[in-house]
Amino acid sequence: MSESVERIWINVNLATFDRSEAAPYGARLNQAIFVRGDQIVDIKAMEQLDNLPASAELIDGRGGWMTPGMIDAHTHLVFAGNRAREFELRLEGASYQQIAQEGGGILSTVKATRAATVDELVELAVPRLEALMREGVTSVEIKSGYGLNPEAELNMLRAARELGRRYPVRVSTSLLAAHAIPPEYKDDSDAYIDLICSEIIPAAAEEGLADAVDVFCETIAFSANQCERVFKAAKEHGLGIRAHVEQLSNQHGAALAARYDAWSVDHLEWLDEEGVEAMAKAGTVATLLPGAFYFLRETKLPPIELLRKHKVPMAVATDLNPGSSPLASLRLALNMACTFFRMTPEEVLAGVTRHGAMALGQGEELGQIRPGMKADLLLWDIESPAELAYQFGVNPIRQRIVGGEVANV
Ligand code: DI6
Ligand code: FE
């Protein structure tokens, strides 16, 4: 397809999520949207349309709603094995932390993932990725973190990159080597951090496999000091920074990551106001993960009011992973963020568009409908945008558009 192809969607209502639009959802009713190549080039009200370029392809939206493509800014969708047995154990009374401490949990997924080839990892991830795409995901972040040695960590990222080449979806990758302490370093987690900083990060950067690094800052994983070393190494290699923080306890990881200009800090149930202030100052996004909150039956709520008070942008993501959030539906995550966290439909939808893009360091190109942005768009058979957060289990998507091309799944 040549760069100059122009497509015009007419008769669409736009939920632009453009901050300069005053209406809720940045809504503009009855519009035409002009796309050239992979970019949005113009938006006009239908009544202001005069003669349209004869060469353009016209697509009639028939009064449907268009939103930016949905961005799932936190997933672990590349992995092998499954944790159904652990689910049974938890239902018999074991806790997530207990299972982790006894060598189950993340480490059982590590065993299966290390044994898989890159091709196998890709094949296993396909149904998860397709499920997300079918519901409107056009960008997805994928983490490593079940390899925990140089070869297996890089293989996970290779699988993630391969998924992005095979499918019409933008894949952004995070190196999460600091996810759990590997069995080989059971008694010397500092030596594993050395390995991450001196070998794994440089190799991932060299091969262009990682857009960012991620860490799990938690009593059952890595200390704030250890995470800081990873952030320093990431900075030296020009990688973005994100972090799992304040999920099960308050280790003050959010404030630390914000000091390193993190794009996003995620989970945040135990976040305090000091952390929120640090995030506001740094422009770090709060990525909320209601799937993990639900599946681990957490009761401590993330401090939504404080995040609102300090105007911290909030993203919402699935955290799709085998242990704490086996959730391959961003639409259901939207609903959960409303029901559990009392976020509004407008907030959660901004969380998978404008703020999801910011959480990936891509806020200048993705997540809003306005000229200059990439034409990643969804056309929905709905009467109001709130329906996308209200209902789940039905899929009112009519068209999925990535980089200006219709790419239905
Ligand atoms: N927090 C989580 O909820 C996931 N990782 C993390 O750092 C859990 C991953 C797993 O249990 O496999
Ligand atoms: Fe996660």
Side-chain angles (χ1 to χ4, degrees), residues 74 76 143 176 179 244 267 289 319 321:
H74 182 141
H76 309 241
K143 302 174 195 299
L176 176 58
H179 192 196
H244 290 67
H267 284 290
L289 305 171
D319 196 14
N321 77 66

Side-chain angles (χ1 to χ4, degrees), residues 76 83 86 96 105-106 109 146 176 179 216 244 247 267 292 296 319 321-324:
H76 309 241
R83 307 254 285 278
E86 184 179 315
Y96 182 79
I106 293 178
T109 302
Y146 294 118
L176 176 58
H179 192 196
F216 189 19
H244 290 67
Q247 179 185 6
H267 284 290
L296 297 182
D319 196 14
N321 77 66
S324 71

Side-chain angles (χ1 to χ4, degrees), residues 325-360:
S325 188
L327 169 66
S329 171
L330 190 55
R331 289 280 315 289
L332 180 51
L334 293 178
N335 183 271
M336 286 178 169
C338 294
T339 46
F340 289 135
F341 300 164
R342 313 309 290 164
M343 292 172 73
T344 67
E346 186 179 1
E347 282 175 328
V348 298
L349 285 165
V352 296
T353 55
R354 188 177 65 236
H355 297 159
M358 289 166 64
L360 298 181

Side-chain angles (χ1 to χ4, degrees), residues 83-96 98-99 102 295 297:
R83 307 254 285 278
R85 177 63 195 138
E86 184 179 315
F87 184 50
E88 290 178 318
L89 289 174
R90 286 206 293 117
L91 286 164
E92 287 160 20
S95 76
Y96 182 79
Q98 267 165 1
I99 292 168
E102 285 159 20
F295 197 67
R297 303 182 77 226

Side-chain angles (χ1 to χ4, degrees), residues 79-83 102-117 120-121 124 145-149 152-153 156 179-184 322:
F79 62 85
N82 81 74
R83 307 254 285 278
E102 285 159 20
I106 293 178
L107 290 183
S108 76
T109 302
V110 169
K111 215 165 153 193
T113 302
R114 283 179 174 180
T117 63
E120 285 165 348
L121 291 174
L124 289 166
Y146 294 118
L148 309 187
N149 66 32
E153 282 294 305
M156 288 186 72
H179 192 196
I181 299 162
E184 300 78 11

